[in-house]
Amino acid sequence: MERGSHRLLVQMSYASLARYTSVGLLVVRGFLLAHFLGPALFGTWTAMRLVLQFTMFGHMGARTGMLRDATLTAGAGDHVEASRLRQAAGTVNVLGALVVSGAIIVAVLIAHDFRIEESRYWLFLAALVVVRSHWIYTQTLLQSHHVYALRSTLSIVVSAMSASLGVFAAYRYGLGGFLLALGISYCGGIAVSHARVRWVPTLPVDLRRSLALIRSG
C-alpha cells in the first residue's frame, strides 16, 4: 500500500512537471513566432489559436466520458466493454473534428474578405483541427490505460517539437511551414501513443455507447 502511494505521488509529480514544462515551451514558442512571423501573420495565428480552443468542444464530452466509464469498466474486469467504449469515443471524436473542420472550410469558401494566401492558411488549420483532436484523444486514451508516464513524456516531446521544429519552419517558410510542423509534431505523438497501447481505430458506429459517453462526459 505504501509503495502504491509512493508510485502515485511520483506519477502526479511528473505529470505536473510535464504540464508546466509544456506550458513553458509554448510560451517560448509564442515569443519566437511573434518575432519571425511579424505582426500580421502572428495576428492570424492568434486568431487561429482562439478557433482551436473552441474546437475542443467538438467531441461533445465523449473523451471525458471515455476516461471515466472505460477506466471504471476496465477496473471491474470487463476489458472487452472498456475497449468498445474507447472505440465509440474515438468515433465521436473523429466525426466531431470532421464537422468542425468542414465548418472552417465552408466559412473560408464563403468569406469574401480573405486574401488568397490567408485563405490557404485557414484551410491548413481545418486539416490541423482533425490531427490535433486525435492527438488529444490519444492523450486521454493513454490516461484511461493508466500509462501516465508515457502520456507526460509525450506531452513534453510534442511541445518541444512544436517549439523547435515549428519555430524553424516559421523562420524558413512562414505561417504555412509552422502549421505543417505543428501537424507533424502531433502525428509523431499519435504514432507513439498507438504503438504503445497497440490500438488501431476501427471507428464503429455505436449510437448507444456514443450517446452514453456524451451524457457521461
Side-chain angles (χ1 to χ4, degrees):
M1 183 71 177
E2 187 175 325
R3 181 179 298 179
S5 300
H6 176 71
R7 182 179 179 183
L8 179 61
L9 179 61
V10 170
Q11 290 176 343
M12 291 177 61
S13 299
Y14 185 45
S16 298
L17 175 63
R19 182 167 58 252
Y20 290 125
T21 301
S22 299
V23 170
L25 288 169
L26 295 182
V27 170
V28 172
R29 187 188 74 183
F31 281 115
L32 293 174
L33 284 178
H35 175 71
F36 290 125
L37 292 180
L41 288 180
F42 186 72
T44 300
W45 165 239
T46 301
M48 288 179 172
R49 285 181 58 199
L50 292 175
V51 172
L52 285 174
Q53 291 300 317
F54 283 107
T55 61
M56 290 284 290
F57 299 102
H59 65 98
M60 297 179 290
R63 291 197 300 252
T64 308
M66 177 196 74
L67 181 60
R68 175 184 178 275
D69 295 352
T71 302
L72 290 175
T73 303
D78 192 349
H79 295 285
V80 173
E81 177 63 18
S83 178
R84 289 172 179 166
L85 289 171
R86 291 175 181 127
Q87 295 279 6
T91 301
V92 176
N93 187 73
V94 169
L95 292 178
L98 289 175
V99 169
V100 173
S101 178
I104 293 174
I105 293 173
V106 170
V108 170
L109 293 177
I110 65 176
H112 299 290
D113 57 343
F114 277 96
R115 301 192 308 274
I116 294 178
E117 186 178 27
E118 189 167 335
S119 297
R120 181 188 64 182
Y121 295 145
W122 284 93
L123 292 177
F124 284 170
L125 182 73
L128 187 63
V129 163
V130 179
V131 178
R132 182 174 182 266
S133 178
H134 193 59
W135 159 242
I136 298 173
Y137 170 74
T138 56
Q139 287 269 281
T140 310
L141 185 66
L142 289 176
Q143 190 173 352
S144 75
H145 279 282
H146 305 294
V147 191
Y148 300 114
L150 179 62
R151 181 183 186 276
S152 299
T153 299
L154 285 177
S155 177
I156 296 174
V157 170
V158 170
S159 296
M161 283 184 63
S162 72
S164 56
L165 181 62
V167 169
F168 174 76
Y171 167 69
R172 290 296 301 271
Y173 306 108
L175 182 56
F178 168 71
L179 294 174
L180 179 60
L182 196 55
I184 292 173
S185 301
Y186 290 144
C187 286
I190 290 169
V192 175
S193 299
H194 285 272
R196 176 61 180 81
V197 299
R198 297 178 182 177
W199 182 83
V200 178
T202 58
L203 303 181
V205 178
D206 192 333
L207 186 60
R208 180 179 65 83
R209 288 186 176 88
S210 297
L211 291 176
L213 289 171
I214 292 172
R215 287 195 298 268
S216 177

